[in-house]
Amino acid sequence: MRMETFIRKALRLKAHTVVKVEEDEAAGALIVHLDRLGHRRLRCGVCGLEAKRVAPTRRPPRRWRDLAMREHLVELVYAPYRVWCQRCGLRVEHVPWAGQWQRVTHALARAVAELARVLDWTSVSAHFRLNWKTVAAVVEGAVLWGLDHRRWHPLHLLGVDEVSRRKGQQYLTIVYDLARGRVVWVGRDRTTATMDRFFAWLGPRRARSIHTVCCDMWAVYIDAVRTHLPAATLVFDRFHLSQYLNRAVDEVRRQTWRRMAGREKGEFKRTRFLWLTNPENLRRAERTRLSALLRLNSPIVKAYLLKEDLRRFWDYRSTAWAAGHLRQWLWRASHSRLEPFTKLARMLRSHRAGVLAWTRTRVTNGALEGMNNKVKVISHRAFGYRTSWTYIANIYHCCAGLPLP
């Protein structure tokens, strides 16, 4: 098979043909010259309809990068015709091997988009010997196409969380489909306007199928869910509640450390891991040391016992029994004379309904937290992003399961 025939079949040309193939030894590239085949009809570059007439003038020759052949780059050279379209008027013809305004072929764009899901854009540009801006344009184009063509499934379990974009309290709000483990929507900031944009984008028809929303105790998320999804069950994430509990224990540990002196301080050193780890996850030597520390008459012992007592709440199947246990725990925490636990008790008392909803739904943001780690890896491997849209586009590209063009 001749080289020209191979390239023509690979590009699936119908109205065009390969005129000649030249080798540029200085650039290490193969230059493929294309032209119109006979008088075959061309298509409009805007609407894609067949043009009835071809204008006598042509645009200057343009170049498109294609997939390399071994160590040789491949460039397509073609001077597009101007065509008369019944709908759009005088337009430049549509070329079948590349999208509008693109400088790479569909095959190369797909290869770039697939590799960009596992590598940073700088590494992708070095692999394909492209400019970084070209890779960014390809990925952003693939994301926009995927958002328009992705297949929608009914949303039943929704997870809402934020991820830090950069220093200075700048966040992105990420909405997940917990049933399928993929990103649904990403928005800038974590304000009321952000949630209003999400529900306006979602629409009332899609929102009717949502029956459970899991989030943390950020007031903006709570108010938005109660406003736009009044029939949905609001569940506060178990992992965030455990995080608040561990923070309270750690704060009591720090206060105890500041009041100690001399020999007591030496025995208490390097015990943070013991107080915050679940007992079943400790090794034998660590459990022995923890048992010795629990004999101390210290506020940290009371804080540790309160932490372990609240952990029993997650084992209840009955909402009534769980409500009774939580009510007793809140009373003990409020009267513990430990300021961190007093604040925690006030917070849990004001959000009691969302905490008790765990016993009925058993929904957590565990998958969401794992996806958040993947989102952070996307930022770390690129050493951050200058604009929020670039970061959002990469999150969609790697975590939303979008189809590729």
Side-chain angles (χ1 to χ4, degrees), residues 1 9 11 27 72 89-92 100 113 119 202 259 269 278 305 344:
M1 183 184 294
K9 290 186 176 181
L11 296 176
H72 288 85
L90 184 61
R91 298 292 180 180
V92 178
Q100 192 177 17
L119 294 179
L202 185 66
R259 288 195 295 266
K269 196 173 183 180
N278 296 336
L305 295 177
L344 179 62

Side-chain angles (χ1 to χ4, degrees), residues 354-368:
V355 176
L356 290 174
W358 153 261
T359 58
R360 300 191 305 272
T361 61
R362 297 282 164 173
V363 175
T364 71
N365 270 359
L368 186 150

Side-chain angles (χ1 to χ4, degrees), residues 111-119 121 124 135 139 381 394 397-398:
V112 168
E114 288 179 349
L115 192 60
R117 283 181 169 173
V118 295
L119 294 179
W121 293 356
V124 175
V135 175
V139 174
R381 73 189 184 194
N394 219 348
H397 188 58
C398 298

Side-chain angles (χ1 to χ4, degrees), residues 11 20-34 58-67 73-80 92 95 97-106 108 130 134 138:
L11 296 176
K20 62 178 179 178
V21 179
E22 298 177 340
E23 181 181 4
D24 186 351
E25 296 183 357
L30 296 177
I31 311 300
V32 180
H33 295 270
L34 306 176
R58 302 175 66 173
R59 301 296 299 168
R62 298 179 182 176
R63 290 175 175 262
W64 293 266
R65 275 283 309 276
D66 195 13
L67 287 170
L73 301 177
V74 177
E75 288 189 357
L76 309 182
V77 180
Y78 177 65
V92 178
V95 292
W97 56 84
Q100 192 177 17
W101 313 115
Q102 290 289 339
R103 289 295 175 262
V104 297
T105 62
H106 292 311
L108 180 56
L130 292 170
T134 302
V138 168

Side-chain angles (χ1 to χ4, degrees), residues 19 29 44 49 65 72 118 129-130 148 167 205 216 231 242 282 289 291 368 392 395 401:
V19 178
C44 173
L49 295 178
R65 275 283 309 276
H72 288 85
V118 295
R129 288 177 280 183
L130 292 170
D148 290 337
K167 293 181 179 179
R205 183 170 175 270
D216 57 13
S242 300
L282 294 175
R289 188 182 181 191
S291 299
L368 186 150
I392 291 172
I395 293 173

Side-chain angles (χ1 to χ4, degrees), residues 136-147:
V138 168
V139 174
E140 290 174 5
V143 168
L144 295 176
W145 189 92
L147 290 174

